[in-house]
């Protein structure tokens, strides 16, 4: 079931326009059984049109220090199987892109990530050994949008109090597996990361309170 409002959310809008529309959307989603998932990098995710994770559309992302992360650790530099455009609406993030340089004695191993609707896991097969060469480092503050093309290794770090909120637009989705660059001294976990582990009542309450705090 697609959620439809009178006007679609637009990343080009400022917070004064965007936040009231987002609050309306979240209220609608919570009333019809929308789900607050959690990603293995310590981030809550809500699909804003109830689309699946492997479909195009807008997603609300909320990073916070107390959210669950993958048992292996991280976050790690990774690729996406889609083109990413994201607007920061709260906090500050640093987005770093990398070029992997194949090197048998490199400090990183490249593995595939399996990302399904309800869980994530890591493939134990090592595709390559590499060094990760920094390409760009961008500090992005609230009100600013940025892009990461499909297949580009990047890593997002959260500044300030560790809380950041973005609206992400996913497009040009490919049916493939993302890649992760993980330090050689990190032992890969065989455990699945459950995307549906949050208490939904508490999660929705927290999400709405955070977005309401952004009203001007």
């Amino acid at each position: 079931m697609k959620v439809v409002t009178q006007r679609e959310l637009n990343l080009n809008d400022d917070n004064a326009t965007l936040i009231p529309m987002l609050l309306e959307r979240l209220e609608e989603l919570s009333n019809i059984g929308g789900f607050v998932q959690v990603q293995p990098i310590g981030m809550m995710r809500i699909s804003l049109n109830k689309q699946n994770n492997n479909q195009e559309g807008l997603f609300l992302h909320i990073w916070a220090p107390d959210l669950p992360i993958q048992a292996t650790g991280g976050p790690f530099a990774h690729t996406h199987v889609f083109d990413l455009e994201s607007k920061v609406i709260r906090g500050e993030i640093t987005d770093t892109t990398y070029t992997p340089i194949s090197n048998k004695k490199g400090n990183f191993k490249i593995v595939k990530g399996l990302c399904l609707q309800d869980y994530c896991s890591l493939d134990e097969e090592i595709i390559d050994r590499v060094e990760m060469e920094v390409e760009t480092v961008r500090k992005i503050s609230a009100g600013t949008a940025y892009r990461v093309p499909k297949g580009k290794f990047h890593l997002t770090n959260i500044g300030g109090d560790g809380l950041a909120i973005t609206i992400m637009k996913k497009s040009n989705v490919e049916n493939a597996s993302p890649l992760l660059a993980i330090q050689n001294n990190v032992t890969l976990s065989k455990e699945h990361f459950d995307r549906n582990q949050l208490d939904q009542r508490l999660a929705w309450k927290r999400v709405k309170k955070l977005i309401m705090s952004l009203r001007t």
Side-chain angles (χ1 to χ4, degrees), residues 8-135:
E8 287 297 308
L9 294 166
N10 190 326
L11 298 189
N12 293 322
D13 288 335
D14 59 20
N15 274 13
T17 301
L18 196 57
I19 298 305
M21 293 181 63
L22 182 57
L23 283 169
E24 179 185 349
R25 179 70 56 88
L26 294 173
E27 188 63 32
E28 186 178 359
L29 284 166
S30 63
N31 287 337
I32 62 174
F35 213 81
V36 182
Q37 289 195 313
V38 65
Q39 294 288 92
I41 57 175
M43 179 186 80
M44 288 189 286
R45 165 181 281 185
I46 298 172
S47 59
L48 292 174
N49 280 114
K50 288 200 75 178
Q51 73 273 27
N52 288 332
N53 284 314
N54 63 352
Q55 294 176 319
E56 297 186 352
L58 295 176
F59 296 82
L60 178 68
H61 289 171
I62 299 175
W63 283 267
D66 61 322
L67 292 172
I69 62 171
Q70 201 163 38
T72 297
F76 305 107
H78 57 278
T79 65
H80 293 287
V81 296
F82 52 85
D83 290 327
L84 177 158
E85 180 180 4
S86 190
K87 182 172 185 177
V88 180
I89 61 173
R90 197 275 190 198
E92 180 181 88
I93 70 172
T94 298
D95 191 79
T96 305
T97 60
Y98 300 87
T99 299
I101 308 297
S102 187
N103 181 342
K104 291 182 180 180
K105 296 183 179 180
N107 291 311
F108 294 84
K109 50 198 172 192
I110 302 296
V111 299
K112 288 182 179 179
L114 178 63
C115 294
L116 300 180
Q117 181 61 26
D118 296 322
Y119 70 88
C120 298
S121 62
L122 296 175
D123 193 325
E124 293 183 89
E125 180 184 357
I126 298 173
I127 298 172
D128 198 6
R129 301 277 184 181
V130 301
E131 287 295 348
M132 298 297 285
E133 183 178 279
V134 174
E135 190 173 299

Side-chain angles (χ1 to χ4, degrees), residues 79-84 148-152 171-174:
T79 65
H80 293 287
V81 296
F82 52 85
D83 290 327
L84 177 158
V148 179
K150 178 167 62 176
K152 173 62 64 180
S171 61
N172 192 24
V173 180
E174 182 180 351

Side-chain angles (χ1 to χ4, degrees), residues 161-185:
D161 60 2
L163 178 65
I165 304 175
T166 64
I167 297 178
M168 186 266 283
K169 182 179 181 180
K170 179 185 292 190
S171 61
N172 192 24
V173 180
E174 182 180 351
N175 183 20
S177 295
L179 301 177
L180 293 91
I182 299 177
Q183 293 89 337
N184 285 334
N185 62 355

